[in-house]
Amino acid sequence: QAIERRHKDRRLIMARAVETLASMPLATMGVIGLCCSVYLYQVVLEPPMYAYTMNPRNVLYLREYYRFISSSLFHGGLMHLGMNMLSTAAISSLLEKRFGTLRQIVSILWSILLTSVVYTIVALLLSALLGMDDLMYQHSVGFSGVIFHLSVLESGTTSSTRSVFGVISVPAPLYPWALLVALSVIMPQVSFMGHLAGILTGTLELYGFLDGIIVGNDYLQEIETWSALRPIVSRPNFVYMPLEISGSQIRDPAALRRSIGRGCGVICKLIKRAMGTLQTFILGSGGDLNQNIQLGIPRGNLDGSGALGAGDVLLLGESDDDSDDWVGLPPMSSITQVDSRV
């Protein structure tokens, strides 16, 4: 019975997996299949990983431009692949159902190229201007830069809030940035610059800065009518582009400045709350009773001139006259009486 139960559970899992794949939009299923096929190539033939990673030095000086593409499709292990593909299935499916299959294909293709280009440009600028060569020699690999690009597109079209690992809630447009910081703290081995490059390219596309090089919606809708693509567009998981793209009002470069202003305001509020919490943790809730406690206030010389001398610092709770009572604390006279009784 135990063996039959295990077989039944396996069949159920396989049935759910097949059902999930069948309901997945075409572009999302295609990119997941491509990354899984590349990983199968890695497992079977075991090619040297360093030959396919994103390495700005090799791209610029050895002209290995293929790394722009290969670095996004290769992965460092099965866990790396699984986490990225689960995120891709969730985020890309939402975008594809909202904007259409052809639009999603264009966004993913441009994201694969542009995230690597931005990564290389940043590494070159850091090396040329600041003499920081670490990024030039660093190797990075994985689809996560594209995922962050898609995350910006998905979260930028909604005004709701998102939870970062169930710890803190942030406005949806700031979610990719909060996730970038959280992942860098929790998993410092991840490519911070690769994720940041994805956020930057996604922001450029979201606010219309890439409209000059990306195929327009009208042309994509015309492509959907081509007879040569009928076998593809007739598939049940192909998503036609909507006549009106939701969130299109965001595609305005001027809106980026407004978003930056709102983001700075949210960050300032978070810092203010954190400082208030820290103050309460250190001094307690009775802040008014501790106002007379000063840290590091210079004191005058003992000669009564009042001039500051080197090394003359008033320590915590220290004063020239110990008989002065502190607000909220027992007077010195009572402390003396207690000591005498002891």
Side-chain angles (χ1 to χ4, degrees):
Q1 294 181 352
I3 296 177
E4 293 180 357
R5 188 180 302 109
R6 285 197 296 269
H7 285 303
K8 183 178 180 180
D9 292 340
R10 291 176 183 176
R11 288 194 298 267
L12 181 60
I13 293 174
M14 291 297 298
R16 290 181 177 177
V18 171
E19 181 181 356
T20 302
L21 289 175
S23 61
M24 190 177 297
L26 186 60
T28 302
M29 184 172 61
V31 72
I32 292 177
L34 177 60
C35 290
C36 292
S37 299
V38 172
Y39 184 74
L40 182 62
Y41 162 76
Q42 294 179 237
V43 173
V44 174
L45 299 182
E46 298 183 352
M49 178 63 69
Y50 65 85
Y52 299 95
T53 58
M54 184 63 235
N55 182 261
R57 176 186 175 276
N58 288 12
V59 171
L60 295 173
Y61 298 108
L62 301 182
R63 299 181 180 180
E64 297 177 351
Y65 301 121
Y66 67 89
R67 293 178 181 268
F68 284 149
I69 308 300
S70 63
S71 60
S72 296
L73 301 179
F74 280 69
H75 287 82
L78 182 60
M79 182 67 70
H80 188 200
L81 174 71
M83 293 178 61
N84 280 352
M85 293 304 100
L86 287 175
S87 300
T88 301
I91 299 175
S92 182
S93 295
L94 290 175
L95 284 173
E96 187 171 352
K97 292 176 181 178
R98 187 182 304 171
F99 300 119
T101 295
L102 293 185
R103 168 55 61 195
Q104 187 66 5
I105 292 175
V106 171
S107 295
I108 291 176
L109 292 179
W110 274 112
S111 178
I112 291 175
L113 177 62
L114 292 179
T115 51
S116 298
V117 170
V118 170
Y119 186 101
T120 303
I121 292 175
V122 172
L124 180 62
L125 292 177
L126 291 177
S127 177
L129 300 179
L130 302 178
M132 300 172 60
D133 296 331
D134 293 344
L135 198 59
M136 289 288 292
Y137 293 90
Q138 181 176 318
H139 291 263
S140 62
V141 68
F143 203 69
S144 54
V146 179
I147 294 174
F148 270 86
H149 179 116
L150 299 178
S151 178
V152 171
L153 300 181
E154 193 277 327
S155 61
T157 56
T158 179
S159 58
S160 61
T161 59
R162 299 288 173 83
S163 176
V164 181
F165 299 122
V167 177
I168 185 174
S169 296
V170 297
L174 294 180
Y175 175 75
W177 295 94
L179 188 61
L180 171 68
V181 175
L183 287 178
S184 299
V185 173
I186 298 174
M187 296 183 290
Q189 72 276 11
V190 300
S191 176
F192 176 86
M193 186 52 62
H195 295 170
L196 179 60
I199 291 179
L200 294 178
T201 56
T203 302
L204 292 176
E205 180 179 355
L206 178 65
Y207 290 97
F209 288 94
L210 302 181
D211 287 351
I213 61 175
I214 292 183
V215 180
N217 295 330
D218 294 338
Y219 186 68
L220 290 177
Q221 290 174 346
E222 181 182 348
I223 292 178
E224 291 177 341
T225 62
W226 291 359
S227 58
L229 295 181
R230 186 165 301 172
I232 297 177
V233 299
S234 61
R235 296 179 62 89
N237 55 350
F238 182 90
V239 181
Y240 283 91
M241 293 186 60
L243 297 179
E244 295 183 1
I245 302 297
S246 60
S248 59
Q249 68 278 4
I250 298 179
R251 303 182 61 80
D252 177 15
L256 179 59
R257 294 190 296 268
R258 296 192 294 269
S259 296
I260 292 176
R262 290 194 299 268
C264 292
V266 172
I267 293 174
C268 291
K269 290 181 180 178
L270 291 176
I271 294 176
K272 184 177 180 180
R273 291 177 182 176
M275 294 299 295
T277 303
L278 182 62
Q279 180 181 3
T280 303
F281 177 77
I282 295 176
L283 301 179
S285 59
D288 294 338
L289 300 179
N290 299 316
Q291 290 179 353
N292 63 309
I293 301 178
Q294 305 293 333
L295 297 176
I297 298 179
R299 63 184 295 179
N301 290 333
L302 298 178
D303 56 5
S305 62
L308 297 179
D312 291 334
V313 177
L314 181 62
L315 299 179
L316 175 63
E318 182 181 352
S319 65
D320 290 337
D321 188 3
D322 287 340
S323 63
D324 294 338
D325 294 342
W326 287 7
V327 178
L329 296 177
M332 294 298 297
S333 59
S334 63
I335 296 178
T336 305
Q337 294 175 1
V338 172
D339 291 341
S340 64
R341 288 195 298 268
V342 175

